[in-house]
């Protein structure tokens, strides 16, 4: 799944990558929703909530949604930095490091009730950690597949699907 890059990637490689890591993202998202009542795989909804809370002048909640957005962005940024560094120094490990970091974060959050004290900020910490992990994953998958596959949100997937379907139907009319 990760060995092939650029033109060496096939539809089958991308399908395997999308299937496995979309499943991971789905599991993380439902876990976030059930455990801490927060979507933890995308930022689109958080931007809407952030804007709504600003409009309502509820700056405390607005800052929490901004925090979520920034953690997802930070995860994508860190993933990109790691892959850039590793591709220059250790090309064979450029994808292993972000995946390992993602797994460690998810493992730690699964034991968060044992590790963290029971305070009102725990759900925010868990949500932020999971959003960071999904930022890591989304950047990793986007980079591996050269922006063909996205695993942590439906907006990009449905945009790509719409474009692909229009190209498919256009090619049928030409024949």
């Amino acid at each position: 799944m990760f060995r092939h890059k650029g033109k060496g990637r096939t539809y089958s490689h991308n399908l395997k990558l999308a299937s496995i890591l979309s499943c991971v993202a789905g599991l993380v998202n439902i876990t976030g929703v059930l455990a801490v009542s927060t979507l933890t795989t995308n930022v689109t909804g958080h931007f809407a909530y952030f804007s709504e809370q600003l409009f309502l002048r509820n700056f405390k909640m607005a800052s929490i949604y901004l925090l979520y957005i920034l953690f997802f962005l930070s995860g994508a940024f860190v993933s990109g930095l790691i892959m850039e560094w590793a591709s220059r120094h250790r090309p064979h490990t450029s994808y292993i490091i972000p995946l390992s970091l993602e797994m460690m974060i998810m493992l730690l959050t699964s034991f968060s009730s044992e590790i963290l004290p029971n305070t009102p900020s725990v759900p925010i910490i868990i949500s932020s950690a999971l959003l960071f992990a999904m930022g890591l994953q989304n950047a990793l998958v986007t980079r591996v597949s050269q922006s063909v596959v996205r695993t942590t949100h439906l907006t990009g997937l449905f945009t790509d699907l719409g474009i692909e379907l229009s190209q498919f139907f256009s090619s049928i009319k030409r024949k």
Side-chain angles (χ1 to χ4, degrees), residues 94-155:
S94 63
Y95 305 134
I96 293 170
I97 299 168
L99 272 178
S100 298
L101 185 55
E102 178 185 351
M103 287 187 286
M104 286 189 314
I105 291 168
M106 289 193 294
L107 189 62
L108 286 172
T109 57
S110 69
F111 292 110
S112 61
S113 63
E114 310 299 322
I115 299 169
L116 298 171
N118 191 11
T119 65
S121 62
V122 169
I124 296 169
I125 294 167
I126 293 170
S127 299
S128 298
L130 292 175
L131 280 155
F132 183 87
M134 291 297 97
L136 282 167
Q137 177 177 300
N138 211 42
L140 168 75
V141 171
T142 300
R143 174 112 181 235
V144 169
S145 71
Q146 295 182 326
S147 300
V148 172
V149 177
R150 292 178 188 89
T151 61
T152 64
H153 59 281
L154 290 175
T155 307

